């Protein structure tokens, strides 16, 4: 799903990236009250300590999401978003997120007691105003740290195509019991008993379409500090419509990584014990097998490789996730054919998050269950998942990542010289298997119960539902991920917040939202649905989706109301379709992304789903979810949910 983009890079000064020499906007750093407690034991609050509203500059979910474009679409919404603002300003109206206990289905009159305009402008000001003074972290002289030898993690034969995990790790990832461990689990309490005795910190890195974000949490899961980095300016339209930044995507990601880490306080970096990375699902790189350096421009999540569809559909079963022109397997096959049907001995495929992690640990062939899904990995095959036999027989099977690990399990200690220079924990720092960006946003919401759902509402729409059953159907845009032993049934649509951005300015969104009267029964009964019957998926081009916005009501606020309701209809029908296919019925929905900031939109969505509670996620950043996975891996916990 396309992630809305960061603000125009012309609004900030530029600094030089040490890694690539490219021009990068300086990252913003946000510290919370928890930062002052680093260095001494912390209470296990399991809550965000002292957080403040922050403007996102990395993007939110893009887990399956292609922004479908046709060759004639000169102004794809994601390209505009990349220049004009991240999802928080694409779809967001109010900077205040409802608490999880506050249902959006409450009377709209309660949401208008505070001015939506004031809240929205406060969020916009947050992106511009100087950050508050930061209290110094307690000093702790680090002991001498010898340069370690480059570690080599346990590997598996390439033909096995899946990591053989120890029984301890298997229990931690949930393969042993097939269910997410509830919050009251005594097993987790026993596993995390050592957490209160140390001052370890955990780093989550989220790389989106327009920028990157780092979040550091403590041993109780409370946020210590956050920082963001924008990519260089877009200079080319690109095949997927998102554009290509100066120097190319790989250098943008590399520069942002080192910029994020360099901006963290030295005392924080010296205490980071584990790091996990999330990236856009379906984005892949063809890299040199030995060095890991890109040998071909990255192929983004929304790039279609229709030339590979005939072959992929001939080998993959009906309904399989890879039977989509945007799948990672279609991209790999398209590249292999264009390269003369050769190169499998010299090159390898890595996903977006894999390559960022490789810059830290330097180990080839590492990925995770969630990123590998669109490549063809089957999380339900065998005890912990595997590539199916038809994939292992492909002529380029040797290019597939050989180690596919469960999110939240250890991969390897950091080993590259650049990583060791900035992550200086004398006790060592390990890279933990990450995930896709939308699943990281799901983890951040800390959902565990069948029926819990997270809608990531940025420039596009991504849905994730905890289910007791797995359901998959590529024709309907539905697929299932595996996380901590439970199924996450989901899908995406490109009908999201970009529709607002392409029709209204930020100021207009604020003013017009205030004018919407959800209690006007006559108007509510006459609201048009621009996408009747549309479910998840990316069959509509940008032009088709735009042309469907007709007829346009005379009043602008009525037009805005119609767009909000039409997107809400897509979401409601999609969750209903999941249930009709056998997934658990949705019971409550948490919202991540800019759409979570508009309480009237939440009310509209709740009504569309029959009154199901729709609330904003308390922890909405994907980087926070990745930080929880890093914490989970460090302590070998069976779940990402902090103990309360």
């Amino acid at each position: 799903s396309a992630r809305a983009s960061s603000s125009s890079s012309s609004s900030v000064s530029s600094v030089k990236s040490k890694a690539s020499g490219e021009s990068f906007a300086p990252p913003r750093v946000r510290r919370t009250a928890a930062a002052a407690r680093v260095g001494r034991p912390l209470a296990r609050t399991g809550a965000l300590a002292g957080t403040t509203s922050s403007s996102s500059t990395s993007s939110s979910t893009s887990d399956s999401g292609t922004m479908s474009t046709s060759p004639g679409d000169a102004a794809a919404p994601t390209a505009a978003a990349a220049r004009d603002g991240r999802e928080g300003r694409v779809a967001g109206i109010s900077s205040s997120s409802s608490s999880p206990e506050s249902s959006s289905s409450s009377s709209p009159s309660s949401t208008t007691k505070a001015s939506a305009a004031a809240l929205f402008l406060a969020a916009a000001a947050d992106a511009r105003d100087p950050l508050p003074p930061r209290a110094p972290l307690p000093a702790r002289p680090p002991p001498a740290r010898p340069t370690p030898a480059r570690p080599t993690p346990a590997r598996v034969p390439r033909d096995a195509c899946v990591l053989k995990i120890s029984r301890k790790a298997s229990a931690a990832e949930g393969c042993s019991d097939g269910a997410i461990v509830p919050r009251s689990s005594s097993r987790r309490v026993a596993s995390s008993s050592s957490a209160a005795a140390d001052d370890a910190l955990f780093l989550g890195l989220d790389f989106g379409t327009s920028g990157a974000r780092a979040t550091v949490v403590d041993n109780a899961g409370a946020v210590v500090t956050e920082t963001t980095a924008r990519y260089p300016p877009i200079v080319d339209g690109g095949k997927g419509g998102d554009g290509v930044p100066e120097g190319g995507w790989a250098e943008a990601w590399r520069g942002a990584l080192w910029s994020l880490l360099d901006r963290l306080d030295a005392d924080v970096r010296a205490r980071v014990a584990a790091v996990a990375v999330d990236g856009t699902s379906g984005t892949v790189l063809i890299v040199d097998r030995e060095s890991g350096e890109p040998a071909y421009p990255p192929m983004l999540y929304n790039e279609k490789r229709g030339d590979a569809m005939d072959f992929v559909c001939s080998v993959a079963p009906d309904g399989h996730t890879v039977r989509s022109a945007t799948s990672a397997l279609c991209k790999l096959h398209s590249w292999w054919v264009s390269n003369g049907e050769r190169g499998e001995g010299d090159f390898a495929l890595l996903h977006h998050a894999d390559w960022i992690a490789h810059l830290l640990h330097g180990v080839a062939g590492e990925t995770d269950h969630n990123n590998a899904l669109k490549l063809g990995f089957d999380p339900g095959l065998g005890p912990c998942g595997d590539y199916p036999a038809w994939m292992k027989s492909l002529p380029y099977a040797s290019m597939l990542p050989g180690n596919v690990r469960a999110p939240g399990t250890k991969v390897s200690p950091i080993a590259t010289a650049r990583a060791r220079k900035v992550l200086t924990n004398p006790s060592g720092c390990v890279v933990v298997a990450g995930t896709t960006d939308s699943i990281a946003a799901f983890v951040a919401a800390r959902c565990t119960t069948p029926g819990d759902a997270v809608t990531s509402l940025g420039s596009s729409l991504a849905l994730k539902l905890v289910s007791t059953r797995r359901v998959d159907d590529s024709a309907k845009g539905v697929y299932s991920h595996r996380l901590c032993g439970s199924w996450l049934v989901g899908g995406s649509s490109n009908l999201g917040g970009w529709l607002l951005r392409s029709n209204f300015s930020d100021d207009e969104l604020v003013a017009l939202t205030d004018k919407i009267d959800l209690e006007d029964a006559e108007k509510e009964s006459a609201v048009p649905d621009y996408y009747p019957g549309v479910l998840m998926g990316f069959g509509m081009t940008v032009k088709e989706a735009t042309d469907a916005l007709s007829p346009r009501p005379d009043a602008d606020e009525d037009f805005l109301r119609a767009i909000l309701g039409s997107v809400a209809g897509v979401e409601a029908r999609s969750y209903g379709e999941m249930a009709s296919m056998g997934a658990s019925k949705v019971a409550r929905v948490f919202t991540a992304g800019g759409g979570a900031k508009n309480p009237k939109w939440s009310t509209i969505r709740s009504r569309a789903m029959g009154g199901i509670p729709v609330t904003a996620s308390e922890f909405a950043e994907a980087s926070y979810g990745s930080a929880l996975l890093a914490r989970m891996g460090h302590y070998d916990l069976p779940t990402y949910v902090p103990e309360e």
Side-chain angles (χ1 to χ4, degrees):
S1 52
R3 297 165 65 176
S5 313
S6 63
S7 300
S8 172
S9 57
S10 62
S11 65
V12 292
S13 59
S14 294
V15 295
K16 290 291 183 180
S17 163
K18 295 181 180 179
S20 65
E22 292 296 330
S23 177
F24 286 86
R28 285 175 45 81
V29 178
R30 178 161 302 280
R31 297 160 55 88
T32 68
R37 301 200 304 271
V38 176
R40 61 179 185 270
L42 300 170
R44 295 190 200 171
T45 60
L48 184 63
T51 49
T52 59
S53 172
S54 78
S55 174
S56 303
T57 49
S58 74
S59 43
S60 84
T61 58
S62 62
D63 183 20
S64 68
T66 25
M67 177 64 64
S68 183
T69 59
S70 65
D73 293 332
T78 47
R83 293 185 291 272
D84 295 333
R86 195 196 160 184
E87 61 186 345
R89 298 217 289 268
V90 168
I93 303 300
S94 167
S95 68
S96 297
S97 296
S98 304
S99 67
E101 292 79 14
S102 176
S103 170
S104 67
S105 58
S106 60
S107 171
S109 63
S110 65
T111 67
T112 59
K113 291 183 179 179
S115 168
L119 293 172
F120 181 85
L121 295 176
D126 182 63
R128 300 189 299 268
D129 294 342
L131 291 169
R134 299 182 294 175
L137 291 170
R140 185 182 75 171
R145 181 172 182 258
T147 301
R150 179 166 173 161
T152 302
R155 304 300 308 277
V156 297
R158 180 163 295 278
D159 58 3
C161 291
V162 62
L163 181 69
K164 297 184 184 299
I165 305 172
S166 67
R167 291 313 304 164
K168 179 179 180 181
S170 177
E173 67 173 298
C175 289
S176 60
D177 54 17
I180 291 181
V181 179
R183 296 191 181 198
S184 61
S185 168
S186 61
R187 180 170 59 162
R188 188 186 70 250
V189 172
S191 299
S192 61
S193 60
S194 61
D198 63 43
D199 61 357
L201 300 179
F202 308 100
L203 173 62
L205 298 171
D206 167 45
F207 282 76
T209 60
S210 61
R213 173 179 288 267
T215 297
V216 178
V217 303
D218 60 23
N219 52 18
V223 173
V224 172
T225 187
E226 292 181 322
T227 181
T228 60
R230 295 185 180 96
Y231 303 145
I234 298 296
V235 295
D236 181 20
K239 293 183 179 180
D242 280 332
V244 177
E246 292 177 358
W249 279 112
E251 291 308 309
W253 299 330
R254 190 200 311 266
L257 170 65
W258 304 130
S259 185
L260 287 173
L261 297 182
D262 287 341
R263 290 286 294 178
L264 295 175
D265 284 349
D267 283 354
V268 169
R269 289 188 275 112
R271 299 178 193 182
V272 171
V275 56
V277 184
D278 71 76
T280 55
S281 174
T283 295
V284 297
L285 300 89
I286 304 299
V287 302
D288 179 86
R289 186 178 295 279
E290 295 300 322
S291 67
E293 285 299 304
Y296 184 84
M299 294 173 276
L300 298 191
Y301 61 94
N302 56 357
E303 290 186 26
K304 291 185 176 181
R305 298 301 170 107
D307 57 299
M309 280 293 288
D310 286 346
F311 174 80
V312 170
C313 289
S314 72
V315 296
D318 290 344
H320 199 285
T321 306
V322 300
R323 294 169 65 104
S324 166
T326 58
S327 72
L329 185 61
C330 278
K331 290 164 186 161
L332 174 57
H333 182 80
S334 177
W335 174 87
W336 184 73
V337 171
S338 68
N339 198 51
E341 299 188 355
R342 58 186 175 81
E344 61 273 12
D346 300 321
F347 304 106
L349 178 141
L350 290 177
H351 301 93
H352 187 189
D354 305 342
W355 188 72
I356 301 297
H358 181 271
L359 295 176
L360 301 174
H361 57 56
V363 179
E366 294 286 344
T367 190
D368 64 86
H369 288 188
N370 303 150
N371 274 295
L373 186 74
K374 290 183 183 176
L375 184 59
F377 180 82
D378 186 346
L381 187 61
C384 292
D386 199 353
Y387 292 117
W390 60 264
M391 282 198 69
K392 296 178 183 180
S393 65
L394 295 174
Y396 39 78
S398 62
M399 295 181 67
L400 304 176
N403 294 341
V404 188
R405 303 180 189 256
T409 56
K410 292 185 178 76
V411 175
S412 174
I414 61 167
T416 65
R418 185 68 172 86
R420 292 201 307 266
K421 182 179 178 180
V422 288
L423 297 173
T424 57
N425 191 327
S427 299
C429 177
V430 67
V431 179
V432 171
T435 184
T436 66
D437 52 356
S438 70
I439 292 185
F442 182 93
V443 170
R446 303 193 289 190
C447 296
T448 60
T449 305
D452 282 353
V454 174
T455 294
S456 297
L457 188 50
S459 63
S460 61
L461 185 70
L463 315 179
K464 291 288 181 293
L465 168 69
V466 182
S467 175
T468 57
R469 289 186 58 190
R470 173 184 184 177
V471 294
D472 297 276
D473 189 341
S474 62
K476 296 181 178 180
V478 178
Y479 49 87
S480 295
H481 283 280
R482 193 74 165 165
L483 183 66
C484 292
S486 187
W487 291 110
L488 296 187
V489 179
S492 300
S493 170
N494 60 343
L495 301 175
W498 71 268
L499 292 163
L500 306 182
R501 171 59 96 176
S502 63
N503 287 281
F504 305 103
S505 68
D506 288 346
D507 290 341
E508 288 172 334
L509 286 172
V510 171
L512 295 174
T513 298
D514 280 343
K515 291 182 179 180
I516 293 176
D517 182 4
L518 297 180
E519 299 307 306
D520 187 328
E522 182 178 353
K523 276 191 174 182
E524 286 296 291
S525 64
V527 174
D529 183 357
Y530 294 132
Y531 307 112
V534 174
L535 298 170
M536 293 171 290
F538 303 90
M540 299 185 75
T541 66
V542 172
K543 184 178 186 304
E544 290 169 343
T546 302
D547 290 346
L549 299 177
S550 178
R552 175 168 179 155
D554 294 334
D556 285 345
E557 62 267 26
D558 294 338
F559 183 43
L560 173 60
R561 169 65 181 86
I563 296 176
L564 297 178
S566 297
V567 175
V570 173
E571 177 188 23
R573 285 189 294 271
S574 296
Y575 278 126
E577 184 66 20
M578 292 179 191
S580 70
M581 295 171 64
S584 298
K585 186 177 180 180
V586 64
R588 57 178 179 170
V589 177
F590 296 95
T591 310
K597 301 173 184 177
N598 187 337
K600 285 188 177 179
W601 200 356
S602 295
T603 299
I604 292 169
R605 292 165 52 215
S606 175
R607 290 179 178 178
M609 289 184 278
I612 289 172
V614 176
T615 58
S617 296
E618 182 181 0
F619 306 92
E621 295 295 345
S623 55
Y624 176 75
S626 288
L628 292 184
L629 290 178
R631 175 183 176 275
M632 172 182 167
H634 174 77
Y635 293 120
D636 289 326
L637 301 177
T639 180
Y640 47 82
V641 180
E643 181 183 350
E644 296 181 349

